[in-house]
């Protein structure tokens, strides 16, 4: 109540004085910034910015950053290796240059300026009335120009991007010509692009590592990266014969120097134990030469994506590999992103596993949550945010989890190309208790195993509800669930301990109720949809005329119809019990929406760009 009374307009003379003082201090601060910028300053230590990612495929722009949770701010260091006439750096919902939140450095050839800007729906730039990208310094070094600036997570400025957990789409653009003002910058003529990162890394203390720790590198054998934009490369490695059971306790990327901008993500999978041997394949994953048996190498041991650091297991758990009942064969998969189509680049990147023979108290396990891979779950075409939900029910956790529960410490979200958001929520007694993992700007092109900020305890009788949001505006026919890249998935692979027999806890709509939906659509529409049993579910979906009635009824069906629950052991066998036509879990109490924390307003700051003393900028 005090706060609201304080914000009422007040005619006290002291306010005028406060305004004058505030403007004076703002001018002093601006002068100090210019002074800092003009100085060559000491080099910030690399440890000050632990996270690093190349922004562009040539590696001319390199971003480093750190996260301060007490300050609720991110500090950025941008290294510009070849400065022309300035650059744009910023964030937007999905990497577009329209409706973006930007920090801009520009020059007219003589004077340089830095400012916080935004772009409108047409891509026109405007200086922001609230300057929230705060310049901390600029420094020339032999390798290029360093720009240091900070930005609060949340600014409560409607023109600004809210930095939150999950994926952030960073955008960049290089100014090739001098410009006389910010408004004169033409976004469509820029040399620019986007890079996805998880900006808000969890602040995790690194567990103590044992003295008998060993390392093993699973790396590509000096591969020539194909001269095309996208390649998935597969390589089969083998553990030594008689390799006993060990625990993987951490892993990190090994990226060949010079290829940092090309190696997009990497995964190591263990092959299925039921086969004695696997062919030693080394080649593109989509090649006709790839042996079919490699499709049985799907058990994830490690996954890394650009910008990610080392992954640590909690000190009481490790991921078991080796020993009886475990395959000696591993498959490395590397996604090369080569948009500039470099030829003849050689690569030996991969993942370094750190493991110990001194087993920790618990084996870690991986459990699949979300939707079963089935065409009964479908998304109509032309939808901008269609929601599908998969349930791990109380009945399944009651049966399969130990009384002391399990602890989820990491999560990897997964959809195909139409996925836009994914969230898993823990619910107990019908009340949502905790978000397990959420990504409101999810991209299928950026999937990494993320350590959670806090471990989530799940007990028998709890429910884990995974919701995916899809966009099919660019599609002309229904998108069904399935394994194909143009089909869809909604999965959260959660990493937890102690390992249980439960490997998969997912759901899909009851097929009988879907059949009733097709019957209803048939009765309401002039066009005949063949309901004959020989017509597959995808064919029936493809023949539906997608008017608003058929769309809305499908949404209602998914929100109300009973479900088929897959409560499966690792052998793909269901736990004993009745799993068909199960009621949808009912939620009586939702978690409140998080309220953005607004930093205290520093007083009326003049919306003026900060001049920089960078000397004259010229074309090379």
């Amino acid at each position: 109540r005090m706060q609201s009374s304080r914000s009422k307009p007040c005619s006290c003379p002291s306010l005028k004085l406060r305004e004058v003082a505030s403007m004076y201090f703002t001018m002093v601060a601006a002068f100090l910034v210019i002074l800092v910028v003009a100085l060559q300053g000491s080099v910030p230590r690399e440890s000050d910015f632990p996270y690093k990612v190349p922004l562009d495929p040539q590696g001319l722009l390199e971003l480093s950053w750190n996260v301060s949770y007490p300050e609720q701010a991110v500090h950025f260091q941008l290294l510009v290796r070849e400065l022309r006439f300035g650059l744009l750096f910023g964030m937007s919902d999905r990497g577009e240059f329209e409706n973006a939140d930007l920090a801009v450095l520009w020059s007219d050839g003589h004077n340089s300026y830095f400012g916080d800007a935004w772009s409108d729906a047409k891509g026109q730039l405007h200086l922001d009335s609230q300057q929230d990208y705060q310049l901390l310094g600029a420094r020339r070094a032999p390798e290029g120009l360093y720009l240091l600036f900070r930005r609060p997570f949340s600014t409560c400025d409607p023109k600004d991007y809210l930095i939150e957990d999950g994926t952030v789409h960073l955008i960049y653009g290089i100014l090739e010509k001098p410009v006389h003002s910010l408004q004169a910058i033409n976004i469509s003529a820029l040399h620019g692009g986007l890079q996805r990162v998880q900006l808000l890394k969890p602040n995790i203390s690194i567990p103590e590592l044992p003295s008998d720790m060993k390392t093993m590198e699973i790396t590509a054998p000096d591969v020539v990266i194909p001269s095309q934009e996208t390649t998935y490369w597969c390589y089969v490695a083998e553990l030594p014969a008689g390799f006993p059971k060990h625990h993987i306790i951490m892993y990190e990327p090994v990226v060949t120097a010079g290829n940092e901008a090309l190696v997009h993500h990497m995964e190591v999978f263990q092959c299925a134990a039921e086969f004695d041997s696997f062919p030693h394949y080394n080649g593109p994953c989509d090649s006709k030469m790839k042996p079919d048996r490699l499709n049985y190498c799907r058990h994830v041991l490690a996954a890394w994506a650009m910008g990610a650091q080392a992954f640590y297991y909690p000190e009481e758990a490790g991921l078991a590999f080796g020993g009886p009942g475990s395959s000696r064969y591993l498959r490395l998969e590397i996604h090369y992103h080569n948009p500039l189509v470099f030829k003849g680049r050689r690569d030996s990147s991969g993942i370094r596993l750190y493991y110990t023979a001194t087993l920790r108290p618990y084996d870690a396990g991986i459990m699949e949550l979300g939707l079963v891979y089935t065409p009964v779950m479908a998304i109509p075409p032309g939808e901008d945010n269609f929601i599908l939900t998969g349930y791990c029910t109380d009945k399944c956790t009651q049966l399969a989890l130990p009384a002391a529960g399990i602890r989820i410490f990491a999560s990897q979200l997964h959809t195909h190309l139409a996925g836009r958001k994914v969230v898993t929520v823990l619910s107990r007694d019908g009340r949502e208790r905790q978000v397990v993992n959420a990504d409101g700007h999810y991209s299928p092109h950026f999937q990494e195993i993320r350590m959670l900020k806090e471990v989530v305890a799940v007990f028998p009788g709890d429910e884990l509800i995974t919701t995916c949001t899809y966009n099919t505006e660019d599609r002309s026919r229904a998108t069904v669930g399935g394994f194909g890249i143009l089909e869809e998935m909604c999965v959260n692979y959660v990493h937890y301990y102690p390992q249980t027999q439960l490997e998969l806890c997912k759901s899909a709509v009851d097929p009988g109720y879907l059949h009733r939906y097709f019957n209803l659509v048939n009765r309401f529409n002039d066009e005949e949809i063949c309901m004959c049993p020989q017509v597959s579910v995808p064919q029936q979906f493809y023949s539906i005329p997608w008017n608003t009635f058929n769309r809305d009824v499908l949404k209602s069906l998914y929100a109300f119809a009973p479900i088929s629950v897959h409560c499966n052991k690792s052998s793909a066998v269901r736990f004993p019990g009745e799993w068909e036509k199960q009621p949808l879990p009912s939620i009586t109490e939702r978690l409140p929406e998080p309220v953005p924390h607004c930093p205290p307003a520093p007083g009326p700051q003049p919306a003026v760009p900060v001049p920089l003393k960078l000397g004259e900028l010229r074309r090379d």
Side-chain angles (χ1 to χ4, degrees):
R1 210 177 288 152
M2 279 174 67
Q3 273 186 325
S4 60
S5 66
R6 207 181 294 159
S7 62
K8 281 180 189 159
C10 158
S11 56
C12 347
S14 65
L15 188 69
K16 300 274 190 301
L17 189 66
R18 212 178 298 154
E19 270 182 18
V20 171
S22 165
M23 285 175 79
Y24 168 75
F25 284 119
T26 301
M27 286 166 70
V28 169
F31 173 70
L32 284 175
V33 167
I34 294 165
L35 205 65
V36 169
V37 165
L39 298 174
Q40 289 297 297
S42 61
V43 184
R45 294 188 309 277
E46 188 137 310
S47 59
D48 293 342
F49 297 97
Y51 313 114
K52 185 193 287 186
V53 70
L55 288 183
D56 65 309
Q58 281 171 288
L60 297 177
L61 297 174
E62 187 176 277
L63 180 74
S64 309
W65 75 96
N66 69 43
V67 182
S68 168
Y69 286 102
E71 284 182 47
Q72 292 277 295
V74 180
H75 290 84
F76 294 103
Q77 174 181 273
L78 189 54
L79 167 59
V80 188
R81 292 191 194 277
E82 291 176 22
L83 183 64
R84 320 289 274 203
F85 291 92
L87 60 94
L88 284 75
F89 165 81
M91 309 166 210
S92 66
D93 178 35
R94 309 213 56 85
E96 319 86 348
F97 277 80
E98 297 76 34
N99 299 317
D101 175 11
L102 299 157
V104 186
L105 171 68
W106 74 96
S107 166
D108 58 12
H110 306 285
N111 301 307
S112 302
Y113 303 92
F114 176 94
D116 178 347
W118 57 277
S119 64
D120 59 28
K122 293 194 171 93
Q124 176 62 49
L125 289 186
H126 307 269
L127 195 66
D128 202 332
S129 57
Q130 194 177 308
Q131 292 284 300
D132 292 303
Y133 281 106
Q134 182 193 352
L135 186 65
L136 302 174
R139 178 178 61 80
R140 282 196 181 277
E143 60 272 30
L145 173 77
Y146 284 97
L147 278 179
L148 271 73
F149 48 99
R150 82 187 279 280
R151 165 71 155 69
F153 297 171
S154 159
T155 63
C156 297
D157 173 349
K159 298 284 185 258
D160 283 357
Y161 180 95
L162 172 67
I163 300 174
E164 51 195 348
D165 290 336
T167 305
V168 177
H169 291 70
L170 301 177
I171 54 177
Y172 64 88
I174 295 167
L175 300 184
E176 306 278 1
K177 299 190 178 94
V179 286
H180 296 291
S181 70
L182 176 87
Q183 285 75 10
I185 296 172
N186 176 5
I187 276 188
S188 58
L190 285 180
H191 164 65
L194 85 120
Q195 179 64 285
R196 300 174 182 94
V197 297
Q198 178 197 22
L199 270 185
L200 301 189
K201 302 284 188 186
N203 200 0
I204 283 173
S205 54
I206 293 174
E208 206 171 304
L209 299 170
S211 53
D212 69 344
M213 182 172 74
K214 292 187 176 140
T215 65
M216 174 188 297
E217 291 189 359
I218 313 292
T219 54
D222 197 26
V223 165
V224 177
I225 300 176
S227 50
Q228 60 194 41
E229 180 165 351
T230 302
T231 302
Y232 283 83
W233 193 272
C234 280
Y235 168 67
V236 174
E238 193 178 342
L239 296 174
F243 186 76
K245 178 178 173 179
H246 288 79
H247 270 164
I248 297 170
I249 52 176
M250 104 178 234
Y251 60 82
E252 64 186 0
V254 181
V255 179
T256 300
N259 292 349
E260 292 83 359
L262 300 178
V263 178
H264 188 272
H265 70 251
M266 305 186 279
E267 294 187 86
V268 175
F269 300 94
Q270 189 158 34
C271 298
E274 58 257 36
F275 298 102
D276 291 339
S277 71
F278 281 80
H280 283 271
Y281 179 72
N282 178 41
C285 302
D286 60 357
S287 163
K288 301 235 180 340
M289 307 299 288
K290 189 190 86 170
D292 287 344
R293 190 167 280 194
L294 264 57
N295 297 334
Y296 292 90
C297 304
R298 299 271 1 130
H299 180 73
V300 179
L301 288 186
W304 171 89
M306 212 179 246
Q309 299 299 101
F311 181 94
Y312 294 90
Y313 280 84
E315 50 198 15
E316 55 274 33
L319 188 65
F321 81 136
S326 153
S327 174
R328 284 172 42 212
Y329 295 88
L330 308 177
R331 175 170 69 89
L332 171 70
E333 182 176 301
I334 302 181
H335 173 194
Y336 293 114
H337 180 59
N338 182 10
L340 300 178
V341 195
F342 293 121
K343 288 185 167 60
R345 283 284 189 100
R346 305 192 82 88
D347 186 67
S348 301
S349 299
I351 286 179
R352 184 181 295 122
L353 303 173
Y354 290 76
Y355 61 98
T356 172
T358 310
L359 300 182
R360 290 176 163 185
Y362 302 112
D363 282 351
I366 300 171
M367 187 191 304
E368 279 188 49
L369 306 175
L371 286 175
V372 182
Y373 310 126
T374 163
V376 300
M377 303 304 294
I379 305 138
E383 292 282 348
D384 64 343
N385 60 350
F386 194 88
I387 290 168
L388 293 178
T389 300
Y391 300 89
C392 175
T393 59
D394 52 353
K395 190 167 164 184
C396 182
T397 61
Q398 191 69 55
L399 193 64
L401 298 189
I406 58 169
R407 306 284 178 274
I408 298 175
F409 59 88
S411 153
Q412 183 183 19
L413 306 174
H414 179 75
T415 74
H416 285 174
L417 301 178
R420 295 294 178 269
K421 297 179 182 185
V422 186
V423 58
T424 297
V425 175
L426 169 77
S427 150
R428 186 173 296 149
D429 304 323
R431 294 201 295 276
E432 291 185 345
R433 291 297 183 94
Q434 199 175 354
V435 172
V436 178
N437 191 8
D439 195 339
H441 301 273
Y442 171 85
S443 168
H445 305 292
F446 188 62
Q447 304 183 22
E448 54 183 356
I449 301 176
R450 290 180 179 159
M451 293 178 272
L452 301 184
K453 283 202 176 87
E454 49 189 60
V455 169
V456 176
V458 185
F459 295 100
D462 286 356
E463 290 162 335
L464 291 159
I465 301 174
T466 302
T467 299
C468 294
T469 305
Y470 300 94
N471 181 303
T472 56
E473 285 177 306
D474 59 345
R475 300 192 180 186
S476 55
R477 73 173 195 179
T479 299
V480 297
F483 290 94
I485 196 66
L486 291 174
E487 297 173 331
E488 266 311 329
M489 293 188 168
C490 177
V491 186
N492 183 354
Y493 298 97
V494 289
H495 295 243
Y496 72 96
Y497 67 88
Q499 187 175 32
T500 66
Q501 280 196 302
L502 182 62
E503 193 150 293
L504 187 148
C505 186
K506 298 158 90 171
S507 74
V509 71
D510 175 70
Y513 273 74
L514 181 66
H515 192 72
R516 292 181 198 179
Y517 166 75
F518 289 138
N519 276 327
L520 182 70
V521 165
N522 228 352
R523 291 215 303 275
F524 266 84
N525 292 281
D526 301 335
E527 291 137 87
E528 259 310 291
I529 298 167
C530 182
M531 298 306 304
C532 354
Q534 68 268 29
V535 173
S536 67
V537 167
Q539 285 316 125
Q540 292 182 56
F541 271 122
Y542 299 152
S543 62
I544 289 179
W546 288 109
N547 54 40
T548 50
F549 177 82
N550 292 344
R551 289 171 192 274
D552 291 347
V553 175
L554 185 66
K555 281 182 194 164
S556 304
L557 175 84
Y558 287 151
F560 136 89
I563 51 177
S564 163
V565 175
H566 287 224
C567 182
N568 292 13
K569 302 181 185 185
S570 49
S571 53
V573 174
R574 285 190 195 184
F575 276 85
E578 182 49 60
W579 301 110
E580 299 304 329
K581 288 194 170 48
Q582 296 297 295
L584 272 189
S586 66
I587 300 297
T588 54
E589 191 181 306
R590 303 243 169 231
L591 281 170
E593 285 292 316
V595 179
H597 160 86
C598 300
Q605 280 185 301
V608 290
V610 177
L612 278 83
K613 301 256 192 332
L614 296 177
E616 291 210 358
L617 297 179
R618 309 181 291 282
R619 284 191 177 82
D620 292 346

